[in-house]
Amino acid sequence: PGIATVPIAEEKTVATIPATRPLETEEPYRSYRTDGQVYGVDFLGDTAIVACGTSGVHVVNIHPRFETLSRVETADRVTDVCVAGNRIYVAEGSAGLGVYELESETLNEIGRYRVPGDTIRQVEVPGDAKYAIVQVGVHKIQIVDVTDPRAPRKVLEDQHPGLLYGDQLMRGLIEDRYTCAFWHVSGLFWYDLKADDGPCYSGDNFPGRTGSGNGLIAHADKTMAITRGGYLLLDRDERRDLSDVPMYRVGTQRRHLGKPTIAGNRLYIVDRQIGLVTIADIADPKNPKLIDQFELPGNPSRCVVHNGVLIVPDGYHGLLVFDR
């Protein structure tokens, strides 16, 4: 009592909203913008398949200029896309995992996998493309047999303490059979896709935190785990705390670095939280050499290098193509 005051009405003035930021002419990239947030991209030949959030899936030519060939309006937000062979796998939230083929520049749905009451946030289809590994909700990983895309079926579900914030599946395979994922808090866990009785948890674990904004990628016979301004090279056969593994620093950013992509001897890492892009030479992975670090205006997701060109999904800032 006695503290509250009578509110003073504001003047009836209309807020000034600035014009949409024009496409950059001085930046080293071109930007393909949509009504949604660009979360991911993969390629079927030279055609880009773009995960555009609430704007669905776009089929786009990126050279010599952007050309939208077609688009699919989805029932929920599209957050990831993976091309394996001639099939396209799309993470569509509560609508599940959509499986498509590209015919005459148009995506045709040939199958769908749903998890009732839950969402699919990320998808990886490695190796011989027999299995799709999907992140379900914020707790579970499922391995789905997609041999028959018209009838995908779950063959394994796994859950550990901690959360899955998005992109926490490893890209690629170790020894052409082992995949990996990490839960924020409980660490990294490996799965054998070619076990005699079908995909299984392989029983290997590195406990500890890498940071939810970071990611994993296969590199030779190791799992590269980005963390704390650098990366670890993890051997699946070991079991020790992440804090006991040698750290290889890259650049000057010490907190975290983000999601990795490897092309040749170059490592590209994008940090969605602060927009930082790091490029390093890893010809000697135990002695990385920084090539470049720069910040983007959006919230970048895992990048792709296609025909030698860096391509970055940068959230509401669009799909960035670094032609120069």
Side-chain angles (χ1 to χ4, degrees), residues 72-76 89-100 109-121 132 134-137 140 142-146 148-155 157:
V72 175
E73 294 187 5
T74 53
D76 199 1
Y89 300 83
V90 182
E92 301 180 22
S94 60
L97 177 70
V99 186
Y100 299 86
E109 182 178 323
I110 59 173
R112 182 162 296 275
Y113 176 75
R114 286 187 171 90
V115 183
D118 227 325
T119 61
I120 291 182
R121 171 68 177 78
V134 294
Q135 177 187 307
V136 178
K140 294 178 289 189
Q142 290 185 358
I143 298 179
V144 180
D145 188 329
V146 290
D148 180 359
R150 296 164 298 181
R153 61 185 183 89
K154 179 179 70 176
V155 294
E157 179 174 290

Side-chain angles (χ1 to χ4, degrees), residues 100-112:
Y100 299 86
E101 287 184 347
L102 184 64
E103 298 180 7
S104 301
E105 301 180 346
T106 301
L107 290 181
N108 293 322
E109 182 178 323
I110 59 173
R112 182 162 296 275

